[in-house]
Amino acid sequence: MEIREFNPLSKKYRKEFKKIALVYPNRYKAGISNLGLQQIYSEINSLNNFICERFYSDVFNGERSVESGSRLEDFDTGLFTIQYEEDYLKAVELSIKVAESIAGGPCIMMNPLPLKEHFKSFFIGEADDVVDRILNGDKIEGLYDGRGKVKRRYVRLDEHLKSQIIGTGAYGEAVLLEVGRGCRRRCRFCVVRQLYSPCRWRKLSLLLEVAEENRKYSDKIALIAPSPSDHPQFKELISELLNMGYMVSPSSMRADTVDEELMEMVSKGGLKSITFAPEAGSEKLREAVNKGISEDDILNAVEITSSRKIQKLKLYFMIGLPGEKEEDIKAIIELVNKVKKFIPRITVSINPLVPKPHTPFQWLPFGGDESKTPEENIKVLKNKVNFLRKELRKLKVNVEAANVDRFAIQTILSRGDEKVGRALKGVKIREFRDCLKQIDVDIELPWDFIDHGYSKSNLKKEYEKASY
Ligand code: SF4
């Protein structure tokens, strides 16, 4: 793969340097859009005795660096960022090549047990300002060596990476502006809000300073946060960015934050397509997941969107939610049908819920129905996917339907332990079917050793509110 990027953060090698490999065991396109990774890269290359180079799974198969083509084996330490459960196997394959390897990232913050025997240690939390201490082997909050308990570390957001690598990533060739971390909403399925709480926003003045400084490198800017349109000064931010001449691309938008003024701004900023996540077709299930969005919010947002030049819409739905009935599945089709009257070019994405650790849904069975066996739940999910695919195609919308078995494996990997980690080369559903079952709320969970700052009794209350 040929890489074309502007990189102000790289460093020239000298033989006294300790070599650090920053490994992202997934595609370059996703990795280059990860500002956290760029932050770590910049921190390491600003240190006197270290040099850092990057590795992506689709560049030299992850075995040679982007910067110099150096072999992973020639590096002293590998810092791995693990974003998705599907990356575990590649991460393990690559970790063997480097003398010492440390893993971090959202999957590790959630449950590092499947990778416990494959890495020397783990970092649970945000490493922005402690990378030097991790490399020096200091005992700091968030570092987990496989023993005892660990408290997640988080940082204040009073700084932002000043200059950054511009490559072709998920947002195209764009400047990345991280407007905040965490989320003030309480969707019960959402692991992001649990891993990155508390909700923190960057100051408008700081964001504008960073945007101004990077203006010369790109015409496009991506606004990054779990829910960027919740930033208290979101409209002022977009307005100022437009004044700077940027095309503005928010990473996502909640339907209930959309109004005429905002849509006018983002369409002026060059937005051509938009994504909303109703998650469920019926009000009842949106309440069960605590999405906080009504059908009116969705239709209102879509109507406003259709009056601008935004003609492409993507809708995300989940299936396998607690209390889900046949009428809730049909409600997805009815909602898409209503939306289609406003915007004809729609893609509908259907995915089973993965009940993730640390969320109020962590105790749910995969498939959502505790009266069924894992195999029965999988079969029901497959039937729902087939039904939705068939009915939605009749509406002439584009359907992206999940492979249910892959989501079952994802659940096993996210709720599994060392035994799952030993079977990474071929995780079988029948072997680890227990990971797909409902979990008793009173037992200690494998991932309870991680303190994310929430109270388990509150999590249980949230879980009970969603039960039918
Ligand atoms: S709004 Fe989005 S990021 Fe926030 S809790 Fe809900 S799903 Fe998670």
Side-chain angles (χ1 to χ4, degrees):
M1 180 185 166
E2 200 197 323
I3 303 286
R4 206 173 61 97
E5 63 180 21
F6 161 73
N7 184 352
L9 306 174
S10 67
K11 190 168 175 177
K12 267 220 158 77
Y13 176 68
R14 291 218 306 265
K15 66 176 182 314
E16 66 271 24
F17 286 157
K18 199 168 172 201
K19 295 174 84 179
I20 309 299
L22 189 60
V23 185
Y24 187 77
N26 200 312
R27 292 175 312 139
Y28 172 87
K29 195 174 170 180
I32 200 63
S33 315
N34 185 321
L35 208 49
L37 228 89
Q38 291 210 27
Q39 176 79 40
I40 292 170
Y41 178 74
S42 156
E43 291 283 332
I44 300 173
N45 280 338
S46 72
L47 299 171
N48 283 336
N49 307 323
F50 292 90
I51 186 167
C52 183
E53 297 193 354
R54 294 163 298 141
F55 295 76
Y56 303 94
S57 64
D58 58 350
V59 182
F60 305 121
N61 199 26
E63 291 162 8
R64 288 178 180 270
S65 72
V66 170
E67 287 79 358
S68 63
S70 301
R71 294 177 335 148
L72 189 51
E73 288 91 327
D74 298 335
F75 283 71
D76 300 294
T77 303
L79 296 184
F80 287 67
T81 292
I82 304 184
Q83 198 90 16
Y84 310 103
E85 289 85 355
E86 306 89 81
D87 299 348
Y88 286 3
L89 187 58
K90 186 71 184 173
V92 169
E93 268 172 38
L94 295 176
S95 73
I96 297 162
K97 294 183 182 289
V98 64
E100 173 191 70
S101 49
I102 305 170
C107 287
I108 301 303
M109 286 155 78
M110 187 173 67
N111 174 21
L113 295 179
L115 296 179
K116 190 169 166 180
E117 293 171 1
H118 303 283
F119 286 83
K120 178 185 155 249
S121 58
F122 300 93
F123 190 75
I124 312 281
E126 299 166 16
D128 303 41
D129 56 353
V130 285
V131 184
D132 55 337
R133 300 184 62 196
I134 296 173
L135 294 175
N136 288 329
D138 293 354
K139 293 243 169 299
I140 52 168
E141 186 178 76
L143 210 56
Y144 175 63
D145 63 4
R147 285 169 299 174
K149 293 184 182 281
V150 59
K151 192 171 180 345
R152 172 176 49 99
R153 186 177 187 282
Y154 67 91
V155 297
R156 289 165 60 106
L157 292 188
D158 38 19
E159 283 185 45
H160 191 292
L161 193 59
K162 289 274 181 294
S163 54
Q164 55 184 265
I165 309 169
I166 312 276
T168 307
Y171 309 97
E173 256 183 46
V175 173
L176 308 173
L177 197 62
E178 191 197 33
V179 301
R181 274 183 216 170
C183 182
R184 67 183 174 86
R185 314 278 181 166
R186 295 182 172 276
C187 305
R188 295 190 178 108
F189 58 85
C190 181
V191 71
V192 173
R193 82 164 303 281
Q194 296 296 90
L195 302 183
Y196 293 95
S197 66
C199 177
R200 292 150 287 161
W201 297 113
R202 283 203 166 90
K203 284 198 185 117
L204 181 64
S205 53
L206 173 61
L207 294 171
L208 295 177
E209 209 180 286
V210 175
E212 187 71 65
E213 208 153 313
N214 287 279
R215 176 67 189 88
K216 53 190 170 296
Y217 301 122
S218 178
D219 290 336
K220 193 173 177 193
I221 193 159
L223 308 182
I224 298 171
S227 179
S229 55
D230 279 333
H231 189 285
Q233 289 157 302
F234 193 58
K235 284 183 186 167
E236 286 102 309
L237 174 62
I238 294 194
S239 162
E240 293 293 336
L241 295 174
L242 292 177
N243 289 341
M244 286 181 203
Y246 270 119
M247 284 164 69
V248 185
S249 170
S251 57
S252 66
M253 294 232 278
R254 274 183 61 103
D256 56 347
T257 59
V258 169
D259 62 23
E260 295 278 359
E261 190 188 4
L262 181 60
M263 211 34 86
E264 167 82 25
M265 283 179 177
V266 291
S267 63
K268 255 195 209 155
L271 199 71
K272 297 273 181 295
S273 64
I274 196 160
T275 300
F276 295 127
E279 314 291 5
S282 66
E283 295 290 9
K284 182 196 89 185
L285 281 193
R286 273 195 299 276
E287 268 169 38
V289 303
N290 208 23
K291 185 67 190 178
I293 288 179
S294 67
E295 184 165 307
D296 285 349
D297 291 328
I298 298 160
L299 295 177
N300 181 44
V302 171
E303 187 174 3
I304 294 171
T305 303
S306 70
S307 65
R308 308 291 155 196
K309 285 190 181 123
I310 301 164
Q311 287 303 329
K312 264 163 77 182
L313 175 68
K314 187 162 187 180
L315 296 173
Y316 276 97
F317 290 96
M318 287 188 296
I319 55 171
L321 299 174
E324 187 173 84
K325 304 268 181 313
E326 207 182 312
E327 66 258 26
D328 299 305
I329 298 297
K330 287 185 178 154
I332 295 178
I333 299 157
E334 284 155 24
L335 181 58
V336 172
N337 199 18
K338 286 180 194 163
V339 167
K340 205 174 166 275
K341 295 196 172 86
F342 296 105
I343 299 186
R345 284 180 70 191
I346 305 178
T347 298
V348 179
S349 168
I350 311 277
N351 296 316
L353 166 77
V354 174
K356 296 245 171 171
H358 306 290
T359 70
F361 283 174
Q362 64 181 347
W363 294 283
L364 276 179
F366 177 69
D369 188 341
E370 63 273 14
S371 68
K372 291 193 163 52
T373 65
E375 292 75 16
E376 285 166 348
N377 263 322
I378 288 174
K379 194 166 175 222
V380 171
L381 284 172
K382 287 181 178 172
N383 289 341
K384 286 175 181 171
V385 166
N386 289 339
F387 173 76
L388 283 167
R389 193 188 276 125
K390 197 170 97 215
E391 293 302 313
L392 288 168
R393 282 191 180 150
K394 284 185 197 159
L395 299 180
K396 299 206 167 20
V397 298
N398 193 23
V399 183
E400 288 174 1
N403 175 323
V404 174
D405 286 342
R406 276 182 61 185
F407 276 73
I409 302 274
Q410 202 191 113
T411 305
I412 291 169
L413 293 173
S414 71
R415 307 210 291 195
D417 57 10
E418 295 91 326
K419 285 199 265 341
V420 172
R422 277 173 226 135
L424 281 179
K425 276 204 170 129
V427 176
K428 302 267 186 314
I429 292 172
R430 66 169 184 281
E431 216 173 305
F432 295 105
R433 59 193 295 282
D434 282 358
C435 293
L436 301 173
K437 288 182 182 167
Q438 185 183 29
I439 304 173
D440 183 340
V441 286
D442 294 320
I443 64 165
E444 174 137 0
L445 297 167
W447 48 86
D448 278 349
F449 68 91
I450 306 172
D451 176 3
H452 276 284
Y454 60 79
S455 111
K456 209 169 165 188
S457 61
N458 282 344
L459 219 58
K460 281 182 196 169
K461 280 186 203 146
E462 283 298 305
Y463 175 58
E464 277 148 21
K465 281 189 210 163
S467 308
Y468 282 83

